[in-house]
Amino acid sequence: MKQLLILSGKGGTGKTTVASAFIKLSNCKSFADCDVDAPNLHLVMSENMEPVINDFYGFQKAFIDNSKCINCGLCEENCHFGAIRNFEVSVYECEGCGVCCEICPQNAVSMTEYASGSLKLYKSQNKVFSTAKLKMGSGASGKLVTAVKKQLLKEAHNSELVIIDGSPGIGCPVIASISGANLVLIVTEPTVSGIHDMKRIIKTAKQFGTACIVCINKFDVEMDNTKKIEAYCNEIQIPVVGRIPFDNTVIKAVNNFKSIDEYQDSKAAKAIKTIWNTIYENYLLSK
Ligand code: SF4
Ligand code: SF4
């Protein structure tokens, strides 16, 4: 089984457009959306299947038992996250560090499991799609990403290829999604921040020893930066596997909850198909 992970520095770079097209083009049977803060692959790929939904308990939050509390204020004073006010804990601010629990002279504080998100599994006779949604301000997104992948891999044991739409950024959820991946495709765009983010993702993937390739979305919007990306990648020997032109059809596809692959005559769909063939032949077909 090979795991292809698709990443980008931030949301809106075209990661999900590329991921959904690859899933369709490869007729992939096992795939996941690890963008747990803002998942949207299901809008295109759930194909009217109903998911099985389970609460995800990856985090603890403090809880104050007011019947034991003597209002000494020690917990509020010592909470570095400002999560306690008027002897009540805000679940949005509590980081689960447990300091209040340790410090309370009355044993009035306990740490309780908190449902910080929901795991969703779409499953049909021949397809499995794992995704999740983190509750706003819950933290623990890395843990939820790990749970999404675990849920997928448990069901995907007969699949030769697994495609994962990763999380944007470079933080904890990205590290969780890189773990176990065979190949990372970075979708970047020719902007200063796009180049900066790409470099950071390459650095992270290198730390894990994971092979990286790059494709440039909307490459024709700023050709100077496109050339800079290609020069940089050439210098550090990271293959640039293709360029996708700016194409309004992508916006149309997103608005219609469709994969760009369904607009086969569009410039973007043609470019993505070429990129897919390049990746398949050069990186996935091999032993
Ligand atoms: S430390 Fe304990 S007793 Fe003091 S205010 Fe907090 S919960 Fe109440
Ligand atoms: S567990 Fe930590 S963050 Fe949460 S309320 Fe207690 S001291 Fe604050």
Side-chain angles (χ1 to χ4, degrees), residues 168-238:
I170 46 112
C172 194
V174 173
I175 290 167
S177 47
I178 288 180
S179 162
N182 301 92
L183 181 65
V184 173
L185 170 68
I186 303 169
V187 180
T188 187
E189 54 187 11
T191 59
V192 173
S193 64
I195 296 171
H196 177 73
D197 291 342
M198 176 195 72
K199 288 180 179 175
R200 291 173 73 182
I201 300 171
I202 290 172
K203 202 172 155 196
T204 307
K206 273 193 170 171
Q207 281 168 356
F208 282 82
T210 310
C212 255
I213 52 179
V214 167
C215 78
I216 309 168
N217 193 21
K218 302 177 198 155
F219 79 90
D220 44 356
V221 169
E222 180 51 76
M223 277 311 294
D224 283 350
N225 282 333
T226 289
K227 285 178 188 156
K228 277 184 196 163
I229 292 170
E230 289 172 340
Y232 174 79
C233 289
N234 191 32
E235 190 187 313
I236 60 163
Q237 298 182 326
I238 298 285

Side-chain angles (χ1 to χ4, degrees), residues 123-138:
K123 206 172 149 190
S124 69
Q125 257 186 343
N126 61 354
K127 266 188 198 160
V128 53
F129 170 29
S130 176
T131 181
K133 177 85 181 94
L134 193 70
K135 269 190 200 164
M136 206 170 68
S138 292

Side-chain angles (χ1 to χ4, degrees), residues 95-135:
E95 292 283 329
C97 68
V99 165
C100 52
C101 206
E102 291 293 317
I103 214 157
C104 176
Q106 295 298 110
N107 287 329
V109 192
S110 55
M111 301 304 293
T112 56
E113 289 297 329
Y114 176 72
S116 52
S118 51
L119 266 169
K120 295 183 185 178
L121 184 69
Y122 294 86
K123 206 172 149 190
S124 69
Q125 257 186 343
N126 61 354
K127 266 188 198 160
V128 53
F129 170 29
S130 176
T131 181
K133 177 85 181 94
L134 193 70
K135 269 190 200 164

